[in-house]
Amino acid sequence: MKLANLGHWLLGLWLAATTGLAAQAQQPAQQLAQLKQQYPTEKAVYLDYRQEVMVELKGDSVQVLARHHYDMLHLAAQSDMYAPDQVHSSHFNRLQKIEARSLVPATNDYKALKVTEFKDKFEIQPGIFFDDARVVSFSYPVVAPGVRTVCDYTVRHPDARFLNPFYFASYVPVRHAELVVTVPRTVRLNTKQFHVPAGKVAYTRQEKGSTVVHRWTADNLPATPRAPDAPEPSYYTPHLVYFLEEAPVNGQPRRLLGGVPELYSLYAGFVKNLDRQESPALRRVVDSLTAGARTEPEKVARIYYWVQDHVRYIAFENGLRGFIPHDAGRVYASRYGDCKDMANLLHEMLRLAGIKAYRTWIGTRDLPYRYAELATPGVDNHMITTYEPRPGQYVFLDATSKYTPYGMPSSMIQGKDALLALDAEHCKVVSVPVMERQRNRTVDSSVVVLDGATGLRGTGRLALTGYPKVHQTYALDGLNKVDEAKLVKGLVERGNNKFFVDKYAVRHLDARDQPLLVDYEYRLQDYVQRLDDEVYVNLNLDQRYAADRLDPTKRTLPRTNDYHHVTRTRTEFEVPTGYEVTYLPANATGQAEVLGFSIRYERKGNKIIQEKEVYVNYLLLEPTQFGQWNTVVDKLNNAYRDALILKRK
């Protein structure tokens, strides 16, 4: 199909959509009553959730135009929260046209009220220094039960390799979802479906002249569920990723996407012209950093830490610049850059030191895909450097994670596939390991004594290693004394809300290879229970996960966790003079794959020592694992209730 036919194609799609709307709109009152009965707890429902994509060949280029159509019926008064709306665009999906309207019920039809004010501006997201994303904001008039709000907009994709997935479900129920992709016969389209229930999406293929029309439809989809700490919607929402696998260029078929080799060919083109000229200033820095280093890993660690310390991470997304790094010399001179810039700088510095390393593309855990199932730019959103000290052994260096020590990947890429650029033509996919829980320790040791009639007083030391240290160092960095004191109190707080830190000191904040230490003195008021001549002291001052039971009848989504970790607590309680111990709590354990604990008590002279360990061992807790989680939580709560009993002699 030629571009001259584009207007006729769009007109046909519009007529088809509006004809369908006219059929739906015959009896507004009846339709509202029917859908309120079908969705009694929902605020709104999408009657039509549609995307029509047209792929055309123009010369040697592949052009893609997508028309979006959304028709929402409002069911409840609270649905006015959906009156404000937005349409996003960027270099890769350029907004061409937008129309929106409210359809207000009349006797047997609807009266259209057009949106007349659209506000277009750059969208600056938190943590992004510059982003070419734009947002058009508008608000539908007269939103109330029975009103329909309709939005139509057209987007042009200048690069056919950067297309967005189609989601069949949304935050409200969807009566009808439809994706139509029309391609020339000479273009090969490929698709991957994710989380689509068997038989839920119907597919048809129709040949029309020189084109092929692919159509996917789904009806009566429930609203996507929500839950705290749930993964991104791509982990559970039914969606389809479509991409152009092959198209003719200069009369010959050309592979665009489809496998890792094609994806790497795209990425290799982004970096092939980098660092053509060596930076003398950068070489001097590298020489000074590596002087005196006894081993190659020591050289790598020094260079890695220098980039972490001296280059400020600033996210910068602007069209293809979101994929193409700057030269290392420029990043060194400016002292700032995004993940691509920092990865390339680190790669070049290692090369100048005579150390082989690889530019590496990777997706964070926000993305669920692996290269084996999907090899498109949608799999990646990050770039790092990988060092190979021995064949098959890899050290993943993420310079954007400022406090992550050498030898650990940043927590957000654990378990993900990494695409290593071996040379201009060859690549390799390797897996980033998940750090075992023993690498991520929180160790809290304290000595406590009775303080007055019902209080405790103690001194303690908190030691954090691995990711707990990384995260808390980020939190503590740059705080004033008031905010620092609040954060430290939150770190060591226990018992009840009458916990006070009288004195503290933080050490090793900037020493990546040493534990972060917090020495503290504290008071805990109104905690000890007294009955006649007996004193009850619960040494489980920290009762984490006590209220963390998961109800599988209410929560259907997995739960995410940043990293595996273990918390060890040692509490020494000095038995006051004139008292004897009449009851020592029993030891307790509970173990499962995802959660476990052990609590042990011991008498040593006039001291009672409690040793407690709690571990969490998942990155994604599936609903099928809620049962084992709850079993351990129940055992943990039973152990938490057991208190030490003292009696006056």
Side-chain angles (χ1 to χ4, degrees):
M1 185 178 292
K2 297 187 180 299
L3 282 174
N5 296 327
L6 182 58
H8 298 291
W9 173 72
L10 287 174
L11 177 62
L13 294 179
W14 182 83
L15 288 173
T18 54
T19 300
L21 292 180
Q24 294 175 353
Q26 294 305 307
Q27 296 293 334
Q30 292 179 7
Q31 186 178 48
L32 175 63
Q34 174 194 343
L35 292 176
K36 288 187 73 170
Q37 183 177 11
Q38 184 176 354
Y39 303 106
T41 62
E42 298 290 347
K43 300 179 179 66
V45 57
Y46 273 118
L47 301 177
D48 202 15
Y49 195 81
R50 181 188 303 265
Q51 186 173 326
E52 312 265 5
V53 179
M54 182 68 178
V55 178
E56 293 191 316
L57 300 175
K58 185 178 181 183
D60 294 335
S61 68
V62 183
Q63 300 195 5
V64 181
L65 199 69
R67 180 180 181 274
H68 301 253
H69 172 78
Y70 305 119
D71 181 352
M72 176 185 285
L73 174 65
H74 296 260
L75 303 177
Q78 300 91 333
S79 71
D80 59 2
M81 66 186 292
Y82 302 135
D85 205 350
Q86 294 180 333
V87 171
H88 299 264
S89 63
S90 71
H91 170 85
F92 295 104
N93 53 318
R94 299 175 182 176
L95 183 64
Q96 305 290 293
K97 183 180 179 181
I98 182 169
E99 294 180 352
R101 58 198 178 277
S102 292
L103 299 178
V104 181
T107 305
N108 289 317
D109 205 345
Y110 291 91
K111 178 183 178 181
L113 299 177
K114 290 187 176 182
V115 174
T116 58
E117 185 178 0
F118 296 90
K119 296 180 180 178
D120 183 10
K121 63 179 181 179
F122 280 110
E123 182 183 41
I124 305 300
Q125 302 180 39
I128 304 294
F129 175 71
F130 180 80
D131 193 339
D132 70 349
R134 299 187 68 88
V135 59
V136 173
S137 303
F138 56 95
S139 187
Y140 296 102
V142 197
V143 173
V147 172
R148 288 163 50 197
T149 51
V150 182
C151 180
D152 292 281
Y153 65 93
T154 304
V155 168
R156 179 173 295 282
H157 298 271
D159 192 323
R161 294 168 296 185
F162 296 89
L163 302 177
N164 298 322
F166 178 77
Y167 285 80
F168 293 97
S170 186
Y171 54 91
V172 299
V174 177
R175 287 291 303 277
H176 180 74
E178 185 168 342
L179 171 66
V180 181
V181 183
T182 302
V183 299
R185 284 177 179 266
T186 53
V187 172
R188 185 189 302 171
L189 180 74
N190 202 344
T191 63
K192 300 285 185 179
Q193 293 188 18
F194 297 91
H195 314 296
V196 175
K200 191 62 181 177
V201 174
Y203 168 72
T204 61
R205 181 183 185 276
Q206 181 183 11
E207 296 186 3
K208 296 180 67 174
S210 62
T211 64
V212 180
V213 180
H214 304 266
R215 187 184 305 271
W216 295 265
T217 59
D219 294 317
N220 298 315
L221 293 154
T224 53
R226 303 172 189 175
D229 301 320
E232 292 296 316
S234 52
Y235 273 83
Y236 56 87
T237 304
H239 65 284
L240 180 145
V241 179
Y242 59 98
F243 54 94
L244 304 186
E245 192 170 81
E246 186 176 283
V249 176
N250 295 325
Q252 298 296 321
R254 177 189 171 190
R255 295 276 294 180
L256 298 178
L257 290 172
V260 171
E262 291 80 15
L263 180 62
Y264 181 64
S265 177
L266 171 66
Y267 288 166
F270 292 152
V271 298
K272 67 179 181 180
N273 294 318
L274 289 176
D275 305 313
R276 291 292 181 90
Q277 187 172 353
E278 181 180 303
S279 167
L282 189 57
R283 175 168 284 282
R284 288 193 293 271
V285 171
V286 171
D287 290 344
S288 67
L289 288 171
T290 56
R294 291 172 294 179
T295 64
E296 185 173 271
E298 184 180 351
K299 293 180 182 179
V300 175
R302 289 185 183 185
I303 294 172
Y304 175 50
Y305 290 161
W306 186 92
V307 176
Q308 287 180 316
D309 288 337
H310 292 85
V311 180
R312 182 184 176 193
Y313 171 68
I314 296 180
F316 188 92
E317 299 176 10
N318 185 14
L320 285 174
R321 193 23 217 123
F323 291 86
I324 301 175
H326 282 124
D327 282 350
R330 175 174 173 176
V331 179
Y332 164 74
S334 63
R335 293 294 203 276
Y336 69 83
D338 60 13
C339 66
K340 305 175 297 298
D341 299 326
M342 298 177 77
N344 187 60
L345 172 63
L346 181 54
H347 173 268
E348 176 66 5
M349 293 178 73
L350 293 175
R351 188 194 68 80
L352 292 174
I355 298 168
K356 188 172 184 178
Y358 311 112
R359 298 186 184 97
T360 303
W361 290 266
I362 194 168
T364 66
R365 296 208 316 272
D366 288 341
L367 301 173
Y369 314 110
R370 291 192 174 275
Y371 291 111
E373 61 186 359
L374 183 67
T376 74
V379 178
D380 304 313
N381 60 357
H382 194 41
M383 195 169 179
I384 62 172
T385 307
T386 302
Y387 165 55
E388 189 175 15
R390 286 189 293 275
Q393 179 184 358
Y394 302 100
V395 179
F396 300 95
L397 306 170
D398 185 353
T400 67
S401 185
K402 184 176 180 180
Y403 300 108
T404 299
Y406 173 85
M408 295 185 73
S410 54
S411 63
M412 64 184 179
I413 63 173
Q414 293 178 94
K416 295 291 293 183
D417 284 349
L419 181 61
L420 277 56
L422 302 182
D423 56 39
E425 297 181 354
H426 301 92
C427 64
K428 185 178 183 180
V429 175
V430 300
S431 182
V432 178
V434 176
M435 295 292 99
E436 62 181 12
R437 62 178 184 258
Q438 297 299 339
R439 297 283 298 270
N440 307 308
R441 297 190 307 275
T442 299
V443 179
D444 194 351
S445 303
S446 65
V447 177
V448 296
V449 297
L450 287 178
D451 186 29
T454 61
L456 292 176
R457 176 169 45 84
T459 61
R461 165 172 285 185
L462 181 70
L464 306 176
T465 57
Y467 294 136
K469 179 189 175 177
V470 173
H471 285 207
Q472 293 305 330
T473 302
Y474 268 113
L476 286 164
D477 187 20
L479 291 184
N480 59 44
K481 285 299 181 182
V482 173
D483 291 335
E484 181 185 85
K486 291 179 180 178
L487 192 147
V488 168
K489 182 177 183 294
L491 276 177
V492 300
E493 192 168 21
R494 67 209 52 205
N496 59 34
N497 59 2
K498 294 184 178 180
F499 178 89
F500 302 94
V501 177
D502 294 321
K503 187 178 180 181
Y504 74 88
V506 178
R507 291 192 288 154
H508 301 164
L509 189 64
D510 297 322
R512 292 178 183 84
D513 299 319
Q514 297 186 54
L516 174 66
L517 300 180
V518 180
D519 293 308
Y520 59 97
E521 299 177 7
Y522 68 94
R523 289 173 292 120
L524 181 59
Q525 298 178 353
D526 296 337
Y527 180 78
V528 175
Q529 303 295 317
R530 290 180 178 268
L531 181 63
D532 298 330
D533 59 350
E534 289 186 326
V535 178
Y536 297 80
V537 183
N538 191 329
L539 296 184
N540 294 292
L541 303 178
D542 178 5
Q543 298 193 6
R544 63 187 65 202
Y545 308 111
D548 202 16
R549 216 173 186 282
L550 299 171
D551 188 346
T553 65
K554 295 180 179 179
R555 180 175 182 133
T556 60
L557 295 182
R559 186 168 74 175
T560 60
N561 183 45
D562 288 336
Y563 46 82
H564 299 180
H565 57 90
V566 61
T567 301
R568 296 173 183 163
T569 305
R570 176 185 171 89
T571 304
E572 292 187 7
F573 175 73
E574 294 185 4
V575 179
T577 303
Y579 284 84
E580 62 180 347
V581 177
T582 59
Y583 176 76
L584 186 67
N587 296 337
T589 61
Q591 291 188 341
E593 178 187 357
V594 295
L595 176 68
F597 76 94
S598 67
I599 302 176
R600 301 189 180 280
Y601 295 87
E602 180 185 8
R603 295 192 190 193
K604 277 192 175 182
N606 71 329
K607 293 182 179 181
I608 302 298
I609 301 172
Q610 184 205 65
E611 298 271 6
K612 179 168 59 178
E613 177 175 300
V614 180
Y615 67 80
V616 173
N617 209 57
Y618 74 89
L619 296 181
L620 191 68
L621 186 69
E622 297 287 356
T624 55
Q625 298 172 301
F626 288 179
Q628 61 169 287
W629 177 274
N630 290 337
T631 297
V632 176
V633 168
D634 291 342
K635 291 180 179 180
L636 189 57
N637 273 306
N638 288 333
Y640 281 161
R641 286 191 286 268
D642 216 357
L644 176 71
I645 302 177
L646 309 176
K647 188 173 183 179
R648 188 181 296 276
K649 294 179 181 178

